[in-house]
Amino acid sequence: MPTFQRARSEEQRELRRRAILDTTAAMLDETPVGEVSLNELSRRVGLAKSNVLRYFESREAILLELLDRAWKQWADDLPALLDREIAADAPVGERAERLVDVLVRSLEGRRVLCDLFSAQAGVLERNVSAEVAGRWKRTALGNVDAMAALLRARLPELGDAAVVFTAQVVMMVGAVWTHARPSAAMLDAYRADPALAAYRLDFAPALRDVLTTLLTGTLARTATA
């Protein structure tokens, strides 16, 4: 466990911030968002909890920064995947189907990102100041705009609706992720009643169905606008 002396320069403060973020990211690799605590983070990073809160106003503020980091990494990785899978001269239906497939497959291995998306509105945006909330919302909107441009370049038929569609994708990822991870009690209920078990969601197929329906409807609306 590292130990730190009091940060006296901007460079030292930035090193502390980075250590806190990197330590929290490592914790997220081991445990769900809801189980990440400031007490354990403080112990791992080698700072008192009060000192951690000098750099970030709350646990949620830390997690929002990590959500931004993971979101940007996802967006950085998408162009190569999209270019490999989507032929520019393919029919719109084929391009739409492949776009959804790329989005779903690109998210299957990003457990932390999906977990953070699922916690964004209900948890992460709650225990923060108006300043942090506003800064985060501007960042999130920038991420949506950047991703919308990526998708619109491969599916120009989306037009201006690409931004709304992208924002809806993020919301659907969080919602499907939550429902695809039932509680222990619900798992017991599924085991006890096979009729209920039929309604258990598998993340990738469920997300593919939802995004296909969403994209099909969006393209239909833009075609008649």
Side-chain angles (χ1 to χ4, degrees), residues 49-68:
K49 185 163 72 171
S50 59
N51 286 335
V52 171
L53 293 174
R54 289 181 179 177
Y55 299 98
F56 296 92
E57 65 179 38
S58 64
R59 179 190 79 111
E60 288 74 17
I62 300 170
L63 293 170
L64 283 174
E65 289 213 22
L66 289 176
L67 171 52
D68 179 44

Side-chain angles (χ1 to χ4, degrees), residues 24-95:
T24 309
M27 292 173 67
L28 287 171
D29 285 336
E30 305 168 6
T31 188
V33 169
E35 297 178 17
V36 172
S37 72
L38 272 179
N39 286 333
E40 178 62 12
L41 169 59
S42 301
R43 186 190 70 79
R44 293 196 187 194
V45 82
L47 289 170
K49 185 163 72 171
S50 59
N51 286 335
V52 171
L53 293 174
R54 289 181 179 177
Y55 299 98
F56 296 92
E57 65 179 38
S58 64
R59 179 190 79 111
E60 288 74 17
I62 300 170
L63 293 170
L64 283 174
E65 289 213 22
L66 289 176
L67 171 52
D68 179 44
R69 179 194 288 184
W71 193 343
K72 283 182 167 63
Q73 184 60 62
W74 180 39
D76 287 345
D77 292 343
L78 275 176
L81 298 173
L82 292 167
D83 289 343
R84 186 168 67 238
E85 297 288 338
I86 300 177
D89 58 351
V92 60
E94 180 180 330
R95 282 182 284 119

